Amino acid sequence: MSGGADRFEAFDEHDEREGHEGYEGHQGPEGHEEESGAYEGRADAGGGVEPDGAAAAAGGGPAGPQGPGEPGGPAHGGGEEPESGRPPRIPLPRTSVEDTGLPLPEPAAAPGPAPLVLEHRVLKSLLGAWALAACSAEETAAVEEHLGECGSCADEALRLREAVGLLHPAESLDLDPTLRTRVLEGCLGRRPPRIPVPEWAAAYDAETARLDALLQDIGGAEWHAPVRLRWFEGDGPVSRRTTVAGVIAHLLSVDGLVAVALGLEDPLGPTGSPTGEPTPEGRTEAFWRASHFPPTRSVRLPWREQSHNIVRTVSFTGASTSQAGGAAGGEGGSGRLTVPYGGFELPLSDSMLDRAFECWVHAGDIADAVDYPYEPPAPRHLHRMIDLAARMLPASLAERRRAGLSPAPAGHHLVAAGAPGRSLRLEIEGSGGGEWLIPLDSPGAVGSAEREVAHVALDGVEFCRLAAGHVSPEEAAAGQDGDRGAIRDVLFAAASLSRM
């Protein structure tokens, strides 16, 4: 027992001696401090010996700094406490504001530029540049602040802004559809042509040129874009699906009726023309059947060449033809020719207006299919087209009554040709508009304002869409007053003017 106690006490003394004499070095057998001299040598080489307090602050121990809870660390009493006022050798970790749960501080706003301080004469000289939006941000702020204080400068700035608006009008990038007509009129006004185009053929010349410009502006793939031909038949709409190239083939076939009447080559050829009466629909179906492949963009050149030949021919042969009131007249020339449409005939002058109308309508169908902007015809051309449709209404109304599609007027008898009868006033608004008295009792009757029983008002383009079968009579935006039955009959007669 005594021996065990001695061994425990000796171990305890050794451990205490190592704990307290760590900085002094370990004594050798002779009692000399060997490690102390080596430690002091290293300290001198580094620039001096650290004081005992600094060593204690570093963690105190023979092996250098020690963390908490280790022998020689602060938790075990090893080393001395750091001196007050001196930071530790190893800095403590920083505390983030995000760990505290407090709101983040707002970022400091960047200081803005100092406002300009300018004299009145300088600010007044900047008004022109300000109106053109040519001032810097600082100058703009100074001018606008001054305008709130100076009435004379504010008035001047308002006048300059209005003047700038006149210098920069909002314009479309698309060419004016009347540009070609205006250029030609200017040229022909300076030097009239030796052989002028007849007035009744000018609309066809202009509309074929506009459609040709559209066709040259579309891509190859768009020639196969689907197009639906629409017209009105009986009491309901009818449609036929085709392509852009198919529409041009349709125009080529029907324009061929005019070409044959003028003695020109038939685009269907000697064997391609359908048997019986040549109708627009029959000629179109014959052309489509004769084609081994669906029409392509190659159909444009024959159509355009034919339209040029038609205009050239009527110009040469119809130079002496005059047109009065829309009917074929004059002493002679091509205006006296008639064009058969299968079941009815039209004078050449009216047929040219009919072809111009259909060219515009189908150009609009193509433009809708390829998403291309397209404008109505020139007002003077649109007026002639509307006039033709108004003059054809009595015959269309009589045809519907013969077919039983419209009831005969109750209590009224047919009026002799040339005698006044019950009439409807057709008022067309907008460009190309006017007023027409439509006889209701007989195709040969004369419209009379004294016997007016109804009044219908439509926009010019809306009336043309009705006559083309692109809008039904029930949906036509028409102002109506008077006999509802007469109004309905005239609207349906207008829709029945359409055909394929």
Side-chain angles (χ1 to χ4, degrees):
M1 292 290 294
S2 60
D6 293 341
R7 285 196 301 273
F8 177 78
E9 290 175 357
F11 174 81
D12 187 53
E13 290 176 358
H14 175 74
D15 181 69
E16 181 179 2
R17 185 167 53 251
E18 286 183 350
H20 288 279
E21 296 179 1
Y23 286 106
E24 298 297 331
H26 177 70
Q27 293 181 358
E30 301 296 330
H32 299 290
E33 299 179 359
E34 297 174 333
E35 297 294 333
S36 176
Y39 177 77
E40 290 177 359
R42 288 193 301 269
D44 291 341
V49 179
E50 292 288 338
D52 292 344
Q66 299 182 22
E70 296 181 3
H76 288 270
E80 299 178 4
E81 293 294 329
E83 296 180 6
S84 61
R86 293 192 63 182
R89 292 285 299 275
I90 301 177
L92 298 175
R94 298 180 180 178
T95 303
S96 174
V97 68
E98 297 178 354
D99 299 334
T100 62
L102 299 176
L104 297 176
E106 294 293 336
L116 291 178
V117 179
L118 303 175
E119 299 179 1
H120 179 271
R121 60 181 182 82
V122 178
L123 293 169
K124 187 174 182 179
S125 66
L126 290 174
L127 292 180
W130 173 83
L132 292 171
C135 288
S136 64
E138 295 81 6
E139 292 172 341
T140 300
V143 170
E144 292 178 352
E145 181 179 0
H146 176 69
L147 294 180
E149 303 172 354
C150 181
S152 61
C153 288
D155 294 339
E156 180 68 16
L158 180 60
R159 287 192 295 269
L160 291 173
R161 270 290 168 91
E162 293 176 350
V164 170
L166 297 176
L167 294 175
H168 299 279
E171 296 181 356
S172 174
L173 296 179
D174 298 321
L175 292 178
D176 186 356
T178 64
L179 177 62
R180 179 180 182 273
T181 302
R182 290 189 285 108
V183 171
L184 289 178
E185 287 179 350
C187 296
L188 297 178
R190 293 176 178 234
R191 189 178 66 177
R194 292 183 299 173
I195 304 176
V197 176
E199 186 62 28
W200 42 265
Y204 177 78
D205 185 27
E207 292 308 310
T208 53
R210 291 208 304 149
L211 175 55
D212 187 55
L214 185 157
L215 297 177
Q216 294 188 63
D217 208 23
I218 64 176
E222 291 175 314
W223 279 86
H224 303 286
V227 180
R228 187 167 293 277
L229 300 179
R230 296 172 291 167
W231 66 96
F232 197 84
E233 194 172 282
D235 284 332
V238 182
S239 65
R240 175 68 186 272
R241 184 185 176 90
T242 182
T243 63
V244 172
V247 174
I248 303 303
H250 166 61
L251 292 176
L252 173 66
S253 303
V254 183
D255 286 357
L257 291 171
V258 181
V260 172
L262 292 172
L264 301 175
E265 182 182 357
D266 190 347
L268 298 183
T271 60
S273 183
T275 59
E277 292 182 328
T279 63
E281 183 174 359
R283 288 179 60 85
T284 300
E285 294 290 351
F287 187 92
W288 288 345
R289 287 194 303 267
S291 302
H292 298 288
F293 300 98
T296 62
R297 64 186 307 167
S298 62
V299 76
R300 171 187 160 267
L301 291 179
W303 166 78
R304 190 62 179 128
E305 183 179 359
Q306 177 179 260
S307 65
H308 279 308
N309 291 336
I310 290 175
V311 173
R312 185 182 302 110
T313 303
V314 299
S315 299
F316 276 102
T317 61
S320 61
T321 301
S322 62
Q323 188 74 12
E331 299 297 330
S334 61
R336 288 185 172 183
L337 297 175
T338 58
V339 179
Y341 280 83
F344 70 97
E345 293 181 347
L346 285 179
L348 179 60
S349 55
D350 287 348
S351 181
M352 293 294 290
L353 287 172
D354 172 77
R355 302 314 306 144
F357 176 78
E358 187 169 356
C359 182
W360 163 48
V361 170
H362 289 321
D365 295 336
I366 294 174
D368 292 340
V370 300
D371 195 18
Y372 191 94
Y374 209 75
E375 298 294 330
R380 62 190 180 93
H381 296 159
L382 184 62
H383 178 80
R384 284 182 169 271
M385 298 177 190
I386 296 174
D387 176 73
L388 173 63
R391 289 187 285 109
M392 296 176 66
L393 281 177
S396 177
L397 182 58
E399 183 64 30
R400 288 183 58 84
R401 286 172 178 167
R402 283 193 295 267
L405 298 174
S406 294
H412 297 280
H413 302 281
L414 290 177
V415 178
R422 293 185 316 129
S423 302
L424 177 142
R425 183 179 296 275
L426 176 63
E427 180 182 355
I428 303 300
E429 302 171 340
S431 61
E435 291 189 358
W436 290 263
L437 289 171
I438 310 300
L440 301 175
D441 297 329
S442 175
V446 178
S448 173
E450 290 76 12
R451 302 194 61 182
E452 178 182 327
V453 297
H455 185 186
V456 176
L458 294 96
D459 176 72
V461 176
E462 183 75 359
F463 176 75
C464 290
R465 294 181 69 236
L466 174 65
H470 281 42
V471 60
S472 65
E474 297 90 348
E475 298 175 352
Q480 307 175 7
D481 182 32
D483 188 342
R484 297 295 178 179
I487 294 173
R488 180 186 181 279
D489 290 345
V490 170
L491 293 179
F492 272 84
S496 297
L497 293 175
S498 63
R499 58 183 181 273
M500 181 178 174

